[in-house]
Amino acid sequence: QNRTTAQTSSRGALRGLETPRAIASIEHERENPKQNMAPSLQLLIIAYTTLLQRATALRPPPQVLVVSGSDSGGGAGMQADIKTCAALGAFACSAVTALTAQNTKGVHGVHGVPPDFIEAQLDAVFDDLAPAAAKTGMLATPDVVAAVADRLAAARVPLVVDPVMVSAHGDALVEPDTVAAIRERAP
């Protein structure tokens, strides 16, 4: 009798936190009171777990801006950066700087995105989202380096510079004078 009263008052105090698991647990305790040594503790743990899940769900993941080239093979570049962000619980937003035609055998072509369109992508991200950090990868030309550096400096976000210049197979991904531009503009 006391156990049922304690369960009912605990359940009433936790109104709105009833989960199917918690309700099933209470019903099981009512039917089998001798099998459960500490039903109020069990109910407390279920309620705490439910609250923790709700609190975690309300907090959005940190946003990370990835500014890099796209790898059609999916093993490097933006695709790898997005996978890394997801694995670490971050939300990746992006600005594509170049498109590559590549696979596990090599790079078959590189098509640079015009700097004004990269700026438009960055402006769209910063207009709506609030990245906690940014990471650059392949910046193919000095003009792209300048456009990205200017926008990221204005945004004042922590920055990781990963100057991708050559593929894993040794194929050049940037123009020769890009190296000097990156050295000059890197924070």
Side-chain angles (χ1 to χ4, degrees), residues 113-180:
V113 175
D116 62 332
F117 191 73
I118 295 169
E119 290 172 339
Q121 292 176 77
L122 293 169
D123 291 344
V125 168
F126 288 119
D127 182 53
D128 184 44
L129 304 171
K135 187 245 181 221
T136 63
M138 178 184 167
L139 305 175
T141 68
D143 291 340
V144 169
V145 171
V148 170
D150 290 345
R151 287 300 194 276
L152 293 179
R156 306 182 117 204
V157 295
L159 176 63
V160 173
V161 177
D162 178 13
V164 176
M165 299 177 203
V166 179
S167 76
H169 298 285
D171 299 305
L173 298 172
V174 300
E175 294 177 0
D177 50 351
T178 302
V179 176

Side-chain angles (χ1 to χ4, degrees), residues 67-72 78-79 95-102 109-114 118 121 138-141 144 173:
V67 184
S68 61
S70 176
D71 170 10
S72 58
M78 180 166 292
Q79 286 79 354
V96 180
T97 61
L99 306 171
T100 65
Q102 65 180 309
V110 176
H111 178 74
V113 175
I118 295 169
Q121 292 176 77
M138 178 184 167
L139 305 175
T141 68
V144 169
L173 298 172

Side-chain angles (χ1 to χ4, degrees), residues 1-183:
Q1 194 80 351
N2 288 341
R3 187 176 287 205
T4 304
T5 305
Q7 291 167 350
T8 304
S9 61
S10 294
R11 188 171 181 207
L14 299 171
R15 181 98 32 229
L17 295 178
E18 297 92 348
T19 63
R21 183 174 170 196
I23 293 168
S25 174
I26 291 169
E27 290 171 0
H28 177 75
E29 289 175 22
R30 287 182 183 157
E31 294 169 8
N32 306 297
K34 293 180 183 176
Q35 290 182 0
N36 297 306
M37 298 299 280
S40 58
L41 178 59
Q42 184 181 24
L43 183 60
L44 180 64
I45 290 170
I46 292 169
Y48 175 76
T49 303
T50 302
L51 283 171
L52 188 60
Q53 289 170 344
R54 287 185 182 176
T56 303
L58 296 176
R59 195 175 11 191
Q63 298 169 356
V64 175
L65 173 59
V66 176
V67 184
S68 61
S70 176
D71 170 10
S72 58
M78 180 166 292
Q79 286 79 354
D81 292 340
I82 290 170
K83 290 175 193 175
T84 301
C85 289
L88 296 173
F91 174 82
C93 43
S94 62
V96 180
T97 61
L99 306 171
T100 65
Q102 65 180 309
N103 55 28
T104 59
K105 297 177 183 177
V107 176
H108 305 283
V110 176
H111 178 74
V113 175
D116 62 332
F117 191 73
I118 295 169
E119 290 172 339
Q121 292 176 77
L122 293 169
D123 291 344
V125 168
F126 288 119
D127 182 53
D128 184 44
L129 304 171
K135 187 245 181 221
T136 63
M138 178 184 167
L139 305 175
T141 68
D143 291 340
V144 169
V145 171
V148 170
D150 290 345
R151 287 300 194 276
L152 293 179
R156 306 182 117 204
V157 295
L159 176 63
V160 173
V161 177
D162 178 13
V164 176
M165 299 177 203
V166 179
S167 76
H169 298 285
D171 299 305
L173 298 172
V174 300
E175 294 177 0
D177 50 351
T178 302
V179 176
I182 291 172
R183 283 188 178 138

